[in-house]
Amino acid sequence: MSTMPESIHVHVPATTANLGSGFDAVGLALDYHDTLSFSLGQLDSDAVDVEIEGEGADTLPRDASHLVVKSFRDAARDLGMPMRELHLSARNRIPQARGMGSSAEAIVAGISAAYAFTHGGMLDRDYVFAAAAKVEGHPDNVAPAVYGGLTFSWKLEEGAEALGSQAEHASQGSESAGNNQVTGDLSAGYHTVRYPVSTDIRAYVFVPDFTLSTSDARHALPKQVPYEDAIVNVSRVGLLPAALCPAFYGDGEGTSPVQGSGLGRNQLLFCATQDALHQQYRGPLMPQSAALMECLRGRGLAAAVSGAGPCVLVLHSGDVDEELQFLAGEQLESGHWKLLPLAIDLAGVQVEQQE
């Protein structure tokens, strides 16, 4: 059996969800991270000591109610780890309640640390994803935080959708099943698929000094949407892998068009980020964000609300920093907004042990 480490360091990326068309399903990991250190102390003690530096230092709790601590304790219990005193040191860069995945980061960090402590510093990303998505209640931010890159996630409900071992048993009784038979564990719960992202893609995140709760943003959504609006998003979300993944552009610059309409990468990004399901309903909760997004899209830039907002995301092939500084000059000069030019994180959560 592996010796339990005394300390685990966890590095988790910020994430942006939805990307316009991929409501509650699509996420992207950003090269902007929180770094957390977990150290264990006395056995059979539930004492907690929390140090916070950076974002949330004046607002986040410093006891067992802290989301990182709660996620760690719950996962540690499920993994059979005995209760021990915990010291958490968090260096936070990810803004809180802005649409950059701060809650997903906290949950992923806590679960990853618990797994690493109980498995000799190793990390099982599939375990972390399944556990974190269950806690978060939706997988769009959790998936890229765990795996990095671009992720498409979904949930299989109990019943007809979740085949589980029944499909495997059926295939064993059919000699003619061949490659067309569904086999394996298509189980109920959350699932995800990761796509690589071209290195020329940049994410520009406009971060305001005001917040918006995800709960309020969800309550703004209607119970039903027009059929035509649903078609808009279904047709656009399928473009995201073509717009973001390197396999679709052989030159690596995003200038060689994909087969079909002959669109360059940035033109395709603009189309892929169009939305008719959620941003128009949430706009009144964050009028400054909605106005900035519309301004940028009016110039042909692939802008969208990041997650539930109020951050605004721009995806672009190549450097567009100067143009964004000019177009959003009024917002940036006001002191109420800042612009983060970021690369895409392709690695996801990372853990490091110290004996």
Side-chain angles (χ1 to χ4, degrees):
M1 176 180 283
S2 301
T3 302
M4 182 178 291
E6 289 300 313
S7 181
I8 291 288
H9 301 291
V10 184
H11 200 55
V12 191
T15 55
T16 180
N18 301 331
L19 278 59
S21 59
F23 178 57
D24 264 11
V26 178
L28 187 66
L30 305 175
D31 190 16
Y32 201 71
H33 302 80
D34 282 357
T35 301
L36 305 96
S37 296
F38 298 75
S39 299
L40 300 179
Q42 183 179 344
L43 191 64
D44 296 326
S45 171
D46 62 358
V48 174
D49 176 41
V50 179
E51 296 179 2
I52 303 172
E53 176 185 337
E55 295 285 344
D58 297 327
T59 57
L60 292 174
R62 297 173 184 263
D63 55 22
S65 66
H66 191 294
L67 185 55
V68 173
V69 176
K70 185 178 186 308
S71 300
F72 174 84
R73 290 291 198 208
D74 290 345
R77 182 183 63 249
D78 293 342
L79 290 164
M81 177 179 167
M83 179 66 72
R84 290 183 63 175
E85 180 183 358
L86 174 65
H87 174 75
L88 170 66
S89 177
R91 287 184 292 164
N92 295 343
R93 299 178 70 202
I94 302 172
Q96 305 285 313
R98 305 290 213 291
M100 292 184 69
S102 60
S103 63
E105 172 275 321
I107 295 167
V108 168
I111 295 173
S112 297
Y115 191 93
F117 273 120
T118 55
H119 291 80
M122 302 299 289
L123 182 65
D124 182 335
R125 295 180 189 275
D126 295 343
Y127 172 86
V128 174
F129 167 71
K134 185 176 180 180
V135 173
E136 179 84 325
H138 50 91
D140 47 352
N141 287 101
V142 163
V146 173
Y147 297 103
L150 172 71
T151 57
F152 280 59
S153 304
W154 69 100
K155 183 181 182 181
L156 287 179
E157 301 291 346
E158 295 281 357
E161 276 195 323
L163 301 179
S165 60
Q166 296 180 4
E168 188 168 355
H169 292 158
S171 67
Q172 292 171 353
S174 174
E175 295 181 359
S176 62
N179 293 329
N180 293 324
Q181 177 66 54
V182 176
T183 61
D185 185 17
L186 189 58
S187 58
Y190 294 102
H191 299 264
T192 194
V193 172
R194 177 192 181 276
Y195 292 87
V197 178
S198 179
T199 55
D200 67 286
I201 295 295
R202 294 290 181 269
Y204 297 86
V205 184
F206 288 91
V207 184
D209 61 3
F210 57 90
T211 63
L212 176 63
S213 78
T214 301
S215 176
D216 289 345
R218 286 202 173 274
H219 286 146
L221 300 176
K223 298 293 184 182
Q224 296 180 323
V225 296
Y227 181 85
E228 294 79 8
D229 289 350
I231 292 296
V232 167
N233 280 58
V234 169
S235 66
R236 302 315 193 267
V237 71
L239 302 176
L240 283 169
L244 291 168
C245 300
F248 290 91
Y249 288 87
D251 60 3
E253 299 293 331
T255 56
S256 176
V258 294
Q259 291 183 338
S261 297
L263 300 180
R265 194 189 292 277
N266 285 320
Q267 292 172 306
L268 202 55
L269 276 170
F270 179 82
C271 297
T273 52
Q274 185 178 0
D275 163 67
L277 289 184
H278 61 102
Q279 293 178 156
Q280 60 183 312
Y281 303 109
R282 291 169 164 176
L285 297 178
M286 45 181 165
Q288 305 98 316
S289 301
L292 177 57
M293 182 190 72
E294 292 302 323
C295 169
L296 297 172
R297 290 193 68 84
R299 295 300 186 98
L301 294 163
V305 173
S306 181
C311 284
V312 174
L313 168 74
V314 176
L315 294 173
H316 196 80
S317 172
D319 188 354
V320 74
D321 186 73
E322 287 189 12
E323 183 176 355
L324 292 177
Q325 294 278 355
F326 173 76
L327 293 175
E330 181 179 348
Q331 288 88 344
L332 296 173
E333 291 173 6
S334 72
H336 296 295
W337 292 81
K338 64 180 179 181
L339 175 59
L340 300 177
L342 304 173
I344 307 305
D345 177 279
L346 300 178
V349 59
Q350 302 291 307
V351 299
E352 176 187 355
Q353 67 166 319
Q354 288 193 346
E355 299 278 340

